Amino acid sequence: MKFKELSTGLMLTFSIGIIALSIYSTEFNKELHISSLLYAIIIGMLISNFTKVKKMDIFKPGIKFTSKNILRFGVVLQGFKLSLLELTNLGITGIVFIGVLLTSTILTVKYVAKRFGLDEELGICLASGTAICGASAIATIGPIVEADEKDTAFGIGAITFFGTLSMFIFPVIYKTFNLDPIFYGAWVGATLPDVAEVVAASGAVQVPKAETMAILVKLTRVLFLVPVSLGFSIWKAKKKNGSGEGGGKVTIPLYVLGFVAVVIINSLNIIPPGIEKHIPKIANGVLTVALASLGLKINLKDMFKVGPKPIVVGFIGMIFIQTFGCLGAYFLFG
């Protein structure tokens, strides 16, 4: 496809991304700590539903390219936030705790979503976003299970909402009950979906030990994105073969392999510090632009048809992971 055909849609998504990042950087938002990803989805959704952009063919190729290719590139860049050293620092007990917590959360949310009559792919998006790392997990696993972009956007919106809400509640709980900082950090890192939310909730209490522990647990949790992606790839292949569709093969998408490669590169400490410090901002910017394209594909009429069920399932999932994450963090680190 020629760049000329993509340019109009790309300009639109990049413009929304820049606006979202600008709002995110304001002094007002520094108090709220709301993710630029959520701003991008909301702005895109408003443009899609209250202007004629959605009906104009000139924008469609660029929006489609962004929602597929740039989104996957954004997932790969998330690997620069991680290092295999996190696994060794947490120890085998901590790794097992996170693995059990994530597995039980995914199974629970998937089951609850089914009971509420949601599409299976939407349930998986909600489950993976709650259990692992919010928007990044949904953007990674959604294409593997062939979730449509509506399910991906719904999942990201619901999980981001509850993650943002929890981010404000956690510091209040810490101060009210005078919690141990190590326990608090482990609890925050094990349960909040997005890395930025973990940093905000742990940093708000102004105790370095709490923030260090939270980030350690969170980044270890994000590393589980790879085995979970493989697990859902196996599940999708079996489902296709079992339904008689055929062609169900276990595949790991190239962008997941790219994510793994980037984590390994980052673990080798070969990136110059002057470049390394800018990479997380670039990664967040790319993902923000990509989620703007998902917002542009959301139809409010479709959302109203689904109703509040994704929000309710997301809420149940967040209560589950925070409850059992709290118990696990207390017994291991309290």
Side-chain angles (χ1 to χ4, degrees), residues 80-93:
F80 282 111
K81 298 178 181 179
L82 306 171
S83 168
L84 295 175
L85 186 62
E86 267 82 47
L87 286 174
T88 58
N89 286 342
L90 195 60
I92 188 66
T93 306

Side-chain angles (χ1 to χ4, degrees), residues 259-312:
F259 173 84
V260 174
V262 166
V263 171
I264 293 172
I265 292 170
N266 199 45
S267 303
L268 298 175
N269 292 320
I270 58 176
I271 302 172
I275 297 175
E276 186 179 22
K277 68 178 182 180
H278 295 294
I279 291 178
K281 291 182 179 179
I282 295 171
N284 185 64
V286 171
L287 205 55
T288 299
V289 170
L291 293 191
S293 68
L294 293 185
L296 286 166
K297 293 188 173 189
I298 293 177
N299 189 320
L300 286 176
K301 290 181 180 178
D302 290 338
M303 289 186 70
F304 290 136
K305 287 178 184 177
V306 176
K309 290 180 181 179
I311 297 294
V312 175

